[in-house]
Amino acid sequence: MKKFNFRKVLDGLTASSPSGSGSNSGGGAGSGSVHPGGTAGLLREEIQETLTSEYFHICKTVRHGFPHQPTALAFDPVQKILAIGTRTGAIRILGRPGVDCYCQHESGTAVLQLQFLINEGALVSASSDDTLHLWNLRQKRPAILHSLKFNRERITYCHLPFQSKWLYVGTERGNTHIVNIESFILSGYVIMWNKAIELSTKTHPGPVVHLSDSPRDEGKLLIGYENGTVVFWDLKCKRAELRVYYDEAIHSIDWHHEGKQFMCSHSDGSLTLWNLKSPSRPFQTTIPHGKSQREGRKSESCKPILKVEYKTCRNSEPFIIFSGGLSYDKACRRPSLTIMHGKAITVLEMDHPIVEFLTLCETPYPNEFQEPYAVAVLLEKDLIVVDLTQNNFPIFENPYPMDIHESPVTCTAYFADCPPDLILVLYSVGVKQKKQGYSKKEWPINGGAWNLGTQTYPEIIITGHADGSIKFWDASAITLQMLYKLKTSKVFEKQKVGEGKQACEIVEEDPYAIQMIYWCPESRIFCVSGVSAYVIIYKFSRHEITTEIVSLEVRLQYDVEDIITPEPETSPPFPDVSSQLPSSRSLSGSTNTVASEGITKDSIPCLNVKARPVRMPPGYQAELVIQLVWVDGEPPQQITSLAVSSAYGIVAFGNCNGLAVVDFMQKTVLLSMGTIDLYRSSDLYQRQPRSPRKNKQFIADNFCMRGLSNFYPDLTKRIRTSYQSLTELNDGPAPLELERCKSPTSGLATRTPEAAPAFYRNEIPAVRQRNQVHHLPDHINGHCTSPTSQSCSSGKRLSSADVSKVNRWGPARPPFRKAQSAACMEISLPVTTEESRENSYNRSRSSSISSIDKDSKEAITALYFMDSFARKNDPTISPCLFVGTSLGMVLIISLNLPSADEQRFTEPVMVLPSGTFLSLKGAVLTFCCMDRTGRLMQPPYEIWRDPNNIDENEKSWRRKLVMNCPSPSQEIGDHQYTIVCSEKQAKVFSLPSQTCLYVHNITETSFILQADVVVMCNSACLACFCANGHIMMMSLPSLRPVLDVNYLPLTDMRIARTFCFTNEGQALYLVSPTEIQRLTYSQEMCDNLQDMLGDLFTPIETPEAQNRGFLKGLFGGSGQTFDREELFGEASAGKASRSLAQHIPGPGGIEGMKGAAGGVMGELTRARMALDERGQRLGELEEKTAGMMTSAEAFSKHAHELMLKYKDKKWYQF
């Protein structure tokens, strides 16, 4: 625990700083020292910061969602757990809700096949790099015990018989090898392909596609080859007992449980049933989906049947289940699973292609009636389980969050330690949305064990999707269950073919895609912004209503008139002051078309809000829809920042053109202003016009509002593919004149499609402005509240003399920094190769004059409502809006609200820029405020009440506000700290003196993607995720680094868009298009993680085999087990060639051993586990012995009774 004295820190930094350091109120961009800024900067209070590096540690916790790109499936019928392998080498193991484990092959190669050691707590995986891995599942974090790398052959199929320790491995060459599971050493016993087939066969049989031992005799192995050959191999005699040949290629084989017949699926859509007594021809051949032909003609071929399973039932006809096999003339039909039960054929059409399926049976023994009860079907993007016990084959309701990607995720939000009643409230309204028709039975994959653990605070995750839907998830205790789904598209009219015209040109696909989310859990105010430049404000209600949706249209466009290269010698020194005089504007504002120089500006929104009354069910109900409109044939820019204050009743949002502030209580627009006008006359950087603009049609065609689908490189340009990095896209060649400023060093260059607006020190009048102001008050204190008055937007063109005035100011003003930054890259166009090469974030303001030609459009990147000081040395606290821009500027907007609560719905709200600004390097990302004791101050909010509750009387309708600002008696000197973080650095300012107390340059070679102020162990810290993969934590307010870990490099824009921090040491990001990865940066949670995870393996007694009976055992085949150890062991089979396969010891395997596998503790742990297993086996042996004794006694009793019955009878009496 360390104490930080502001006075000592300031004294030390001031003494070490250069004497010529800047003394402006913002501290100067890029400043590395502290500027006292007067006596108020010398704080005498001591703030005790408790956070140290011991509190922090980065580790992954759990992964939610559907495994991306699945390839393999396995099921343990005793433990009842399911394993899914993927193309990226990941394995997900699922059991009951809460039992969800993720493990990863280090090689990252695709998983070809998975095999459980049934009821043994182990799993074998075969990967595409021809390596077998043995996973230990008796620990909460599975680890690899052994690996076996094949060097000369490719693995194609594996089979592990039940209760066997010998694994059969088929290869691409047609050979079959045998591996000891315990030692993971290759046996010398090999079945070569040339010995398996007949000597007269001249062609290679192809790869091994199937291996299985006979249910009747474990000493017989069935080997299926791709070209249609099946060999029944006698393991003891080492020869082929019989061979089967078929003209069509084989895809899969399955036994009848009696071991007398087996069924094959073929490439022509046929199923063949073979009898071991007559192998010369199929016992039965059917093409289930083929058209019936005349006698003597072969049935029409169909698509290949990729897999078939033949499962028998004791009291009904057997089930024949297969995938594929549809007729070729039905090309448009979806992938299907066919279930044949007796004479009934049921075809289940799937939404996605089938990867694999398994039939879940009651018994693990292959020589018993299988009694199937369900089918687990693994699709490319879903997992479903079909109930076979009901005639209509319904599916089970999936308890796992497998539908995160139902529509592609476009944004995320994470809230920890939120109000405890929220989860129940959201669940109560979301339970009515659940689909019907599921099976009444419980989810059959219910293995493992899971406890709630010690973490009890509620967590909620919100995901925004491309179809406009919002999903609320309960993320408490490292689980994930969907609570409630909100469809934002319901407030808009559906687009019909041929309608929309220009509006349709904005977004080709997914016009409702969610871009930003803002949620206040305390007031339950929810706000979203979409890709079509709209903002929707929702209020929560438990009652259903039918009402009309209120909508507002806002014109937020700013541009510069074309400017010719000026003649500097003909310009007067100052502009005409008369042209700058503001004029009053109507309070009601206007959204109608405005004519300027004979050009009509279109005032149409991108989407049409429903004009009729809309029924809104309980839950979140639309309060207000705000839309940006087209201006002069150009679409609106996408929204880059969003903030809502329930206490103020105001929503603010901004984009590359400017800022809009809306009163959602009075449904009026308070401010619609270009970014340049927010500076008023206090602009630090003088801007100059650039070269003439290009053709507007080119601009509109290449505008970023064409939709999210243009971010991705697939040929169909659909958002329903995985999100890819913007750097992979190329929007075609562009003139060099349209080259724009780029984002930082990662190569994620950005550009804006319009010419730059001119920035001037004195607001030069000839600048043409396209922003419209709505619902502004006329005057405040005798001055216009907005510089964008009608007289300023007269559209006057600069003459050569007027332009030369500007250039005479040019040599004296400092060049400005880059305008676009990484914070705006989500709304920017794809980049060209030349642009990506020229990326440079470290352009200083003293760089060459050529940087002036870059686009100076300044985007609004961050917004924050707080009770603070609007101006320097302001004596009182008032409602404020902090505005951060892509140039690193922080501006404060003053909000003048009615003092009485009754007047809030009638009196106008005054909004005007205060003229206060602070500056940083890079685009501003986030804000927060702390009081003088170092406590994090939460923005004021309104306590939620149901707006549609008819039981409340008028008195109870009074708004209840929670204000976190100190009382007026405490407002003496500086007592509030404002923390501002940008892409490059963080600063701490003391208010109202605006003294810069601390500056921390977070990164020089990269840039920050995500920054949040979070609470950790009751203390505040600044959490940052950098583009180079570093996660950094800084204690507040001193900005002292306490963690810097190279966690995850930015390989995909998906990570940058969805990464978010929250309180209590939690964070998440979208690791793939279908999965959410949660992580923690808390050392305490890392220590308790083992207790929170579920157990994959639970001790369960293996079910006993059914009694075959005396006659069936005598005449039904050998049925007895044979000694595989004697046959495959080193003593009889010898050693395998060392060059054939290489044994690799695993990195882990015994829980609790961390790098001490060879020590005494490791040996003791092994011995203890061995004793436990031996004791368990001895217990099982004792039970079996007792059972045999009981059977023997019963047999003796029956024999004695039989003897007594026939003792006195003569021979002729029988």
Side-chain angles (χ1 to χ4, degrees):
M1 190 174 297
K2 188 176 180 181
K3 294 182 178 180
F4 291 89
N5 191 302
F6 281 173
R7 188 173 186 179
K8 293 180 180 179
V9 172
L10 289 173
D11 292 342
L13 290 177
T14 305
S16 61
S17 62
S19 59
S21 60
S23 59
N24 56 33
S25 61
S31 173
S33 61
V34 176
H35 306 281
T39 58
L42 300 176
L43 303 179
R44 288 176 168 79
E45 291 81 12
E46 291 186 355
I47 294 182
Q48 191 173 11
E49 296 186 14
T50 59
L51 292 180
T52 61
S53 58
E54 288 76 16
Y55 287 88
F56 296 89
H57 183 72
I58 297 285
C59 71
K60 296 179 180 179
T61 55
V62 68
R63 183 172 293 197
H64 301 297
F66 180 76
H68 185 48
Q69 296 179 331
T71 55
L73 184 68
F75 180 70
D76 188 328
V78 179
Q79 289 290 323
K80 294 189 182 302
I81 56 177
L82 187 80
I84 301 175
T86 70
R87 193 175 301 173
T88 58
I91 297 177
R92 286 279 295 280
I93 304 174
L94 305 172
R96 66 177 67 250
V99 179
D100 187 344
C101 180
Y102 167 83
C103 42
Q104 174 72 43
H105 292 90
E106 292 184 1
S107 62
T109 54
V111 178
L112 297 180
Q113 194 176 352
L114 295 172
Q115 285 274 324
F116 274 105
L117 277 67
I118 297 177
N119 204 28
E120 294 291 337
L123 176 70
V124 175
S125 64
S127 54
S128 60
D129 61 348
D130 307 310
T131 305
L132 298 174
H133 304 277
L134 178 63
W135 295 83
N136 179 17
L137 305 184
R138 298 197 177 206
Q139 56 192 54
K140 295 186 177 182
R141 294 279 193 178
I144 295 178
L145 290 173
H146 303 282
S147 297
L148 188 65
K149 169 72 174 175
F150 281 76
N151 297 323
R152 295 184 298 182
E153 297 198 55
R154 305 295 305 272
I155 298 175
T156 57
Y157 195 86
C158 299
H159 171 65
L160 180 65
F162 177 51
Q163 294 182 329
S164 171
K165 68 175 184 180
W166 297 94
L167 175 70
Y168 300 106
V169 181
T171 67
E172 193 176 29
R173 292 184 179 180
N175 303 324
T176 301
H177 300 275
I178 302 172
V179 179
N180 188 317
I181 291 297
E182 293 180 350
S183 61
F184 236 58
I185 296 176
L186 204 61
S187 170
Y189 192 108
V190 183
I191 304 175
M192 305 299 292
W193 67 271
N194 53 358
K195 295 182 180 179
I197 65 174
E198 290 183 342
L199 297 177
S200 59
T201 304
K202 297 182 180 180
T203 58
H204 190 278
V208 175
V209 296
H210 178 81
L211 291 169
S212 62
D213 53 342
S214 170
R216 296 182 66 194
D217 188 356
E218 295 177 353
K220 306 292 177 61
L221 183 68
L222 192 69
I223 308 173
Y225 295 95
E226 189 180 55
N227 72 342
T229 301
V230 180
V231 177
F232 196 50
W233 183 265
D234 190 328
L235 294 171
K236 292 182 179 179
C237 300
K238 299 182 180 181
R239 64 180 179 85
E241 186 171 303
L242 60 88
R243 298 180 180 89
V244 167
Y245 298 97
Y246 194 70
D247 295 337
E248 298 294 336
I250 293 177
H251 286 278
S252 67
I253 303 175
D254 199 19
W255 280 101
H256 188 279
H257 82 277
E258 293 181 348
K260 299 177 182 179
Q261 297 175 338
F262 61 89
M263 181 174 289
C264 302
S265 67
H266 300 278
S267 58
D268 63 345
S270 63
L271 296 174
T272 56
L273 185 63
W274 299 82
N275 196 317
L276 295 181
K277 293 184 178 180
S278 56
S280 58
R281 55 180 298 178
F283 175 74
Q284 182 181 356
T285 302
T286 58
I287 301 181
H289 295 295
K291 293 182 179 180
S292 57
Q293 303 287 345
R294 295 179 181 177
E295 294 183 1
R297 285 191 174 187
K298 185 179 178 181
S299 298
E300 180 185 8
S301 297
C302 295
K303 296 178 182 178
I305 296 179
L306 302 179
K307 184 177 181 179
V308 64
E309 292 203 351
Y310 189 20
K311 303 301 179 183
T312 56
C313 302
R314 187 180 300 274
N315 300 321
S316 64
E317 295 292 328
F319 281 90
I320 300 175
I321 306 171
F322 60 89
S323 61
L326 296 178
S327 177
Y328 280 106
D329 61 352
K330 299 178 180 178
C332 296
R333 290 191 63 175
R334 295 184 293 180
S336 64
L337 183 78
T338 303
I339 301 176
M340 299 174 62
H341 189 211
K343 297 182 179 180
I345 300 179
T346 304
V347 179
L348 305 178
E349 292 188 344
M350 304 296 171
D351 293 332
H352 310 285
I354 298 175
V355 176
E356 176 70 285
F357 75 89
L358 289 174
T359 306
L360 311 187
C361 302
E362 295 288 351
T363 176
Y365 295 95
N367 57 354
E368 299 177 358
F369 283 100
Q370 299 300 293
E371 301 295 343
Y373 59 88
V375 180
V377 186
L378 179 64
L379 308 178
E380 277 191 1
K381 295 184 179 181
D382 201 1
L383 172 68
I384 64 172
V385 180
V386 181
D387 187 357
L388 295 179
T389 61
Q390 300 183 35
N391 293 331
N392 57 342
F393 301 127
I395 64 173
F396 291 90
E397 184 177 4
N398 198 327
Y400 313 124
M402 293 291 184
D403 57 346
I404 292 176
H405 62 288
E406 183 180 16
S407 176
V409 178
T410 54
C411 61
T412 58
Y414 194 6
F415 300 87
D417 202 13
C418 50
D421 60 333
L422 270 181
I423 291 179
L424 293 177
V425 168
L426 291 172
Y427 178 79
S428 64
V429 297
V431 71
K432 302 174 184 178
Q433 301 175 337
K434 288 191 175 182
K435 299 178 181 179
Q436 305 297 324
Y438 290 111
S439 173
K440 303 299 182 181
K441 295 187 176 181
E442 294 184 359
W443 180 254
I445 306 169
N446 54 9
W450 179 75
N451 296 320
L452 185 61
T454 58
Q455 183 181 346
T456 57
Y457 55 84
E459 300 174 71
I460 292 179
I461 294 174
I462 304 177
T463 56
H465 299 266
D467 63 350
S469 61
I470 305 285
K471 293 182 180 180
F472 292 78
W473 306 84
D474 177 12
S476 306
I478 68 172
T479 61
L480 194 69
Q481 297 293 327
M482 195 173 82
L483 297 171
Y484 172 67
K485 183 177 180 180
L486 173 67
K487 295 181 179 180
T488 62
S489 60
K490 289 188 174 181
V491 304
F492 299 107
E493 297 284 0
K494 291 184 178 180
Q495 294 283 348
K496 297 181 180 179
V497 180
E499 292 185 2
K501 297 181 180 179
Q502 289 178 319
C504 292
E505 297 173 4
I506 303 175
V507 181
E508 296 175 357
E509 300 289 342
D510 304 292
Y512 310 111
I514 303 300
Q515 201 171 14
M516 302 185 74
I517 293 173
Y518 193 99
W519 188 42
C520 178
E522 291 79 10
S523 64
R524 302 184 188 176
I525 292 290
F526 186 65
C527 186
V528 298
S529 69
V531 71
S532 298
Y534 65 83
V535 172
I536 308 177
I537 301 170
Y538 289 91
K539 286 188 176 181
F540 188 86
S541 175
R542 291 192 177 99
H543 304 278
E544 179 180 314
I545 61 170
T546 301
T547 182
E548 292 186 359
I549 301 174
V550 182
S551 63
L552 292 175
E553 295 179 0
V554 179
R555 303 172 66 86
L556 191 61
Q557 196 83 359
Y558 188 88
D559 201 2
V560 197
E561 183 55 68
D562 296 346
I563 299 174
I564 309 300
T565 305
E567 300 288 340
E569 64 275 5
T570 62
S571 62
F574 298 101
D576 185 7
V577 180
S578 62
S579 62
Q580 303 182 58
L581 295 178
S583 63
S584 62
R585 184 172 293 261
S586 172
L587 179 64
S588 61
S590 174
T591 58
N592 298 327
T593 301
V594 178
S596 178
E597 295 186 351
I599 301 176
T600 301
K601 301 180 180 180
D602 300 325
S603 294
I604 59 172
C606 304
L607 300 171
N608 296 322
V609 179
K610 290 180 179 179
R612 62 185 182 277
V614 178
R615 186 188 70 86
M616 300 182 185
Y620 275 105
Q621 299 167 351
E623 176 78 5
L624 177 65
V625 179
I626 309 167
Q627 291 183 284
L628 299 180
V629 296
W630 288 62
V631 178
D632 196 16
E634 295 182 7
Q637 289 269 13
Q638 291 181 3
I639 295 169
T640 58
S641 56
L642 178 68
V644 181
S645 174
S646 59
Y648 304 157
I650 293 176
V651 58
F653 57 93
N655 60 11
C656 289
N657 288 326
L659 173 70
V661 181
V662 177
D663 184 346
F664 64 82
M665 298 181 69
Q666 299 186 24
K667 311 296 189 299
T668 57
V669 180
L670 303 176
L671 180 71
S672 176
M673 184 179 292
T675 311
I676 179 179
D677 302 309
L678 297 176
Y679 292 94
R680 306 187 69 180
S681 60
S682 304
D683 188 10
L684 274 183
Y685 310 127
Q686 297 177 9
R687 277 78 169 181
Q688 277 200 345
R690 50 161 294 161
S691 58
R693 294 179 50 199
K694 299 301 166 186
N695 188 284
K696 290 183 179 179
Q697 183 64 34
F698 173 84
I699 294 170
D701 291 343
N702 290 276
F703 212 75
C704 63
M705 281 299 300
R706 291 177 301 172
L708 285 178
S709 57
N710 287 337
F711 281 81
Y712 315 108
D714 57 303
L715 296 179
T716 59
K717 287 190 177 181
R718 299 187 64 85
I719 198 171
R720 293 167 183 83
T721 59
S722 60
Y723 284 89
Q724 302 295 329
S725 173
L726 292 179
T727 57
E728 299 175 1
L729 297 175
N730 191 324
D731 200 52
L736 294 178
E737 293 84 357
L738 293 179
E739 189 179 346
R740 297 295 185 260
C741 293
K742 292 34 167 220
S743 64
T745 55
S746 67
L748 300 174
T750 61
R751 59 178 181 176
T752 54
E754 291 189 285
F759 282 50
Y760 303 108
R761 179 185 298 272
N762 292 321
E763 299 179 0
I764 300 223
V767 177
R768 178 182 168 194
Q769 301 168 355
R770 290 184 181 171
N771 51 316
Q772 300 295 324
V773 183
H774 308 283
H775 306 281
L776 287 176
D778 291 331
H779 290 80
I780 297 177
N781 298 329
H783 298 283
C784 179
T785 58
S786 172
T788 57
S789 58
Q790 291 180 357
S791 62
C792 297
S793 56
S794 58
K796 180 181 176 182
R797 187 182 297 270
L798 282 179
S799 64
S800 59
D802 292 330
V803 175
S804 63
K805 301 183 223 177
V806 182
N807 273 356
R808 295 188 65 170
W809 285 71
R813 60 106 181 90
F816 64 95
R817 296 194 309 274
K818 71 173 188 67
Q820 285 290 71
S821 60
C824 306
M825 58 191 169
E826 294 183 13
I827 52 93
S828 304
L829 281 174
V831 300
T832 60
T833 306
E834 292 123 17
E835 288 174 329
S836 62
R837 291 174 183 169
E838 295 177 6
N839 280 338
S840 174
Y841 188 87
N842 296 322
R843 280 198 194 101
S844 66
R845 288 160 51 194
S846 59
S847 60
S848 65
I849 200 70
S850 63
S851 65
I852 304 174
D853 290 333
K854 299 299 180 182
D855 194 349
S856 60
K857 180 165 289 189
E858 187 172 8
I860 306 297
T861 57
L863 295 168
Y864 181 68
F865 287 100
M866 175 55 74
D867 284 346
S868 186
F869 300 92
R871 296 171 180 83
K872 186 173 182 179
N873 298 324
D874 205 337
T876 59
I877 281 181
S878 62
C880 295
L881 171 62
F882 287 78
V883 180
T885 74
S886 58
L887 283 178
M889 299 302 298
V890 177
L891 305 101
I892 301 179
I893 307 296
S894 177
L895 308 175
N896 189 356
L897 303 173
S899 58
D901 186 63
E902 296 79 7
Q903 300 175 351
R904 181 60 185 87
F905 293 90
T906 57
E907 296 295 325
V909 177
M910 307 300 178
V911 179
L912 74 160
S914 65
T916 300
F917 62 88
L918 311 170
S919 62
L920 294 87
K921 286 197 303 183
V924 178
L925 300 180
T926 190
F927 301 93
C928 82
C929 289
M930 304 179 74
D931 61 15
R932 64 171 59 189
T933 63
R935 182 182 62 89
L936 187 65
M937 298 176 60
Q938 299 295 336
Y941 62 89
E942 177 186 3
I943 297 178
W944 175 81
R945 62 174 176 80
D946 197 328
N948 304 317
N949 193 350
I950 58 176
D951 297 332
E952 295 182 357
N953 53 35
E954 292 295 329
K955 294 182 180 179
S956 62
W957 276 68
R958 186 179 180 88
R959 299 175 69 212
K960 298 179 181 179
L961 304 180
V962 177
M963 313 300 290
N964 295 310
C965 61
S967 60
S969 60
Q970 298 177 349
E971 298 181 7
I972 302 174
D974 287 355
H975 69 279
Q976 189 181 78
Y977 309 135
T978 297
I979 295 93
V980 188
C981 183
S982 71
E983 292 176 330
K984 305 293 286 185
Q985 65 178 190
K987 285 187 178 183
V988 178
F989 297 94
S990 178
L991 299 181
S993 67
Q994 299 181 7
T995 304
C996 182
L997 299 177
Y998 292 99
V999 179
H1000 180 64
N1001 292 319
I1002 301 175
T1003 178
E1004 294 292 343
T1005 59
S1006 186
F1007 57 95
I1008 304 299
L1009 291 169
Q1010 181 66 32
D1012 288 296
V1013 176
V1014 295
V1015 176
M1016 173 85 171
C1017 300
N1018 297 322
S1019 299
C1021 63
L1022 177 63
C1024 300
F1025 175 57
C1026 195
N1028 58 15
H1030 284 252
I1031 292 179
M1032 293 163 283
M1033 301 286 165
M1034 282 147 281
S1035 178
L1036 295 177
S1038 65
L1039 296 177
R1040 172 174 48 87
V1042 290
L1043 178 70
D1044 188 350
V1045 176
N1046 188 3
Y1047 170 74
L1048 178 71
L1050 179 62
T1051 56
D1052 201 318
M1053 275 303 301
R1054 182 193 311 109
I1055 299 174
R1057 186 174 53 253
T1058 58
F1059 199 103
C1060 54
F1061 296 96
T1062 189
N1063 298 331
E1064 307 300 335
Q1066 306 277 6
L1068 65 81
Y1069 60 93
L1070 201 68
V1071 68
S1072 73
T1074 61
E1075 295 171 289
I1076 289 177
Q1077 177 66 58
R1078 292 169 66 179
L1079 62 141
T1080 180
Y1081 50 89
S1082 168
Q1083 180 65 59
E1084 181 182 3
M1085 186 171 182
C1086 291
D1087 296 337
N1088 298 329
L1089 186 58
Q1090 286 293 109
D1091 299 332
M1092 301 169 64
L1093 297 175
D1095 293 303
L1096 296 174
F1097 177 81
T1098 55
I1100 299 176
E1101 184 179 355
T1102 303
E1104 293 185 0
Q1106 297 178 2
N1107 189 5
R1108 293 170 56 88
F1110 176 75
L1111 294 178
K1112 195 167 186 178
L1114 182 64
F1115 301 105
S1118 61
Q1120 72 278 8
T1121 60
F1122 77 105
D1123 191 355
R1124 292 189 178 92
E1125 180 67 31
E1126 180 182 355
L1127 187 62
F1128 303 142
E1130 185 177 339
S1132 58
K1135 292 184 178 180
S1137 174
R1138 293 184 178 180
S1139 61
L1140 184 60
Q1142 176 186 1
H1143 176 262
I1144 304 172
I1150 300 179
E1151 189 174 5
M1153 297 177 58
K1154 296 180 180 180
V1160 177
M1161 293 301 296
E1163 295 298 332
L1164 290 175
T1165 306
R1166 286 196 187 96
R1168 179 177 58 80
M1169 293 183 65
L1171 287 174
D1172 292 342
E1173 293 178 359
R1174 183 184 179 190
Q1176 183 179 355
R1177 292 177 182 176
L1178 287 175
E1180 294 175 357
L1181 180 62
E1182 184 179 355
E1183 292 176 358
K1184 291 180 179 179
T1185 304
M1188 293 176 63
M1189 291 180 62
T1190 304
S1191 300
E1193 290 176 357
F1195 178 78
S1196 175
K1197 181 179 179 181
H1198 291 315
H1200 183 69
E1201 292 175 353
L1202 188 64
M1203 181 196 70
L1204 294 177
K1205 181 178 180 180
Y1206 295 105
K1207 180 176 68 171
D1208 298 330
K1209 290 187 178 183
K1210 303 298 182 180
W1211 63 270
Y1212 53 82
Q1213 293 177 328
F1214 286 95

